[in-house]
Amino acid sequence: MDLKTDPKLEDFRADVRAFFENEFPKDILAKTAKGASLTTEEVRKSETALGSKGWLAAGWPAEHGGPGWSLEEQYVFDEELERAGVPTVTPMGVVYVGPIIYTFGTEEQKQRWLPGIREGREGWAQGYSEPEAGSDLASLQFSAVKEGDEYVLNGTKIWTSAAQHADWIFCLARTDNSGKKQEGISFIIAEMDRPGITVTPIITIDGKHALNQVHFDNVRVPADYLIGEEGKGWTYSQYLLGHERTSYARIGGKRKQLAHIRKIASSVPDGGNHRLIDDPSFARKLAEADLAVDGLEMTVLRVLSAVKDGGAPGKEASIVKILATETAQQITTLYLDTAGFNAQRGFADSVSPDWLEGGMATSHAAPGVSTYFGTRAQSIYGGTNEIQHNIIAKRVLGL
């Protein structure tokens, strides 16, 4: 994939950049720049702004209401979205469940759910992990028992991102215990306000409410909330996970972070009254992070080139996932260097008024340290890096 020699691609980039500079809600950009979390209303505002432009479901084909962009255009769009500081699009709808529905769902299901997803009007959550089924997802015990024209759902999902903002949740549910554990899993959805569903917040060490525990107690949903065939949920989840793991790369966002860190280090004195950027040890770590992003980008482009030629983000998705999460952690560790002793202070949801007093020396510290803590989890979610190493060893290297 060559992103630098096509004039049409540069015209497309200019159009996308102009939209984010002139039309995207400024209040959303300002709040995100401070590191503060968005409310449910603000999440909807951000995503409907993209949806009204037809750009929320950037990877969808035109026949399902997407823009029908090439892979190069999708890549450029993601770069510009991150460069502008637009909040990360909640992937559970447009990246995860949307493609499952338009690939495996019925025409009625497509008509019912795809418009709300691609327009940003409805939020979604992913019900996969359970207290006793994380990396070994096939061991899940969340059950869906068919009774007449309904399924009755029971069990608990955990580490459920954005459930507090969601209108719907898609779940992997056990519908059969008689055979191999992967063969008895089905893909079922439910409204989040169904009787019997309880959401319990999980506040993480970075001061954020991004995760939740979701309890289902005899939750009844119509039988046509089953997507695809009963017992095929594991197959659908593997189709989804390849796209999930490649979505972690976020090259534009990482370059924006590095530029921010470089700006801070160039203006804030360290303990010796010298700029941090002039410290050889820090400069070396900053250069190494730059090189890591370059390497990650080349790896992503190789994967996308294979997809463009008719392949799929399969085994290589594990490589991208490892590189992306390790690079994110490498970059955000630099925020600790820039924060210095201010990193010791506590914070609520990244920012509070006293953090923003005293100029750059303190205003960057809380969101930076929060981001550092938040990225520690990246090597766990979406399939732990240890599991990804096993996949590479078995499926790529044949060990």
Side-chain angles (χ1 to χ4, degrees), residues 17-216:
R17 184 172 295 186
F19 168 76
F20 288 132
E21 290 178 351
N22 302 317
E23 299 181 48
F24 192 84
K26 296 292 192 297
D27 58 327
I28 301 296
L29 294 178
K31 190 168 184 180
T32 303
K34 292 195 299 183
S37 298
L38 301 182
T39 64
T40 298
E41 292 74 19
E42 289 167 334
V43 171
R44 295 278 75 77
K45 181 178 181 179
S46 176
E47 298 190 351
T48 54
L50 293 173
S52 63
K53 188 75 173 177
W55 288 359
L56 182 62
W60 289 19
E63 61 263 34
H64 297 303
W69 289 338
S70 66
L71 282 174
E72 291 92 341
E73 288 171 322
Q74 292 175 45
Y75 192 84
V76 166
F77 174 76
D78 287 340
E79 275 192 316
E80 290 302 317
L81 180 145
E82 293 165 357
R83 187 198 67 81
V86 175
T88 300
V89 171
T90 308
M92 290 72 181
V94 294
V95 179
Y96 302 167
V97 74
I100 294 290
I101 292 173
Y102 68 62
T103 302
F104 303 105
T106 65
E107 285 303 316
E108 290 77 12
Q109 291 171 336
K110 295 174 190 178
Q111 292 295 324
R112 181 170 187 177
W113 287 301
L114 294 185
I117 295 173
R118 65 173 176 253
E119 295 168 12
R121 292 184 286 103
E122 295 178 331
W124 287 73
Q126 179 189 59
Y128 274 21
S129 295
E130 300 179 12
E132 302 300 326
S135 294
D136 184 15
L137 185 58
S139 296
L140 64 87
Q141 295 302 309
F142 183 93
S143 66
V145 178
K146 193 170 185 181
E147 293 184 1
D149 58 358
E150 293 182 316
Y151 281 99
V152 182
L153 310 181
N154 279 285
T156 299
K157 297 295 182 179
I158 199 168
W159 317 123
T160 311
S161 300
Q164 76 273 27
H165 302 310
D167 303 291
W168 295 85
I169 185 170
F170 59 95
C171 299
L172 289 183
R174 186 158 300 285
T175 49
D176 186 0
N177 284 298
S178 62
K180 293 182 178 180
K181 56 186 181 181
Q182 290 87 350
E183 297 174 352
I185 296 173
S186 298
F187 196 99
I188 296 177
I189 67 176
E191 299 98 330
M192 288 296 294
D193 60 359
R194 283 260 163 185
I197 293 181
T198 304
V199 178
T200 304
I202 299 174
I203 307 302
T204 45
I205 195 172
D206 59 352
K208 299 286 188 182
H209 173 200
L211 303 175
N212 304 271
Q213 192 165 12
V214 185
H215 308 271
F216 291 72

Side-chain angles (χ1 to χ4, degrees), residues 380-398:
I380 299 174
Y381 59 64
T384 66
N385 281 11
E386 289 79 7
I387 294 296
Q388 304 313 310
H389 280 110
N390 287 344
I391 292 173
I392 293 168
K394 293 177 181 178
R395 300 181 186 176
V396 179
L397 302 178

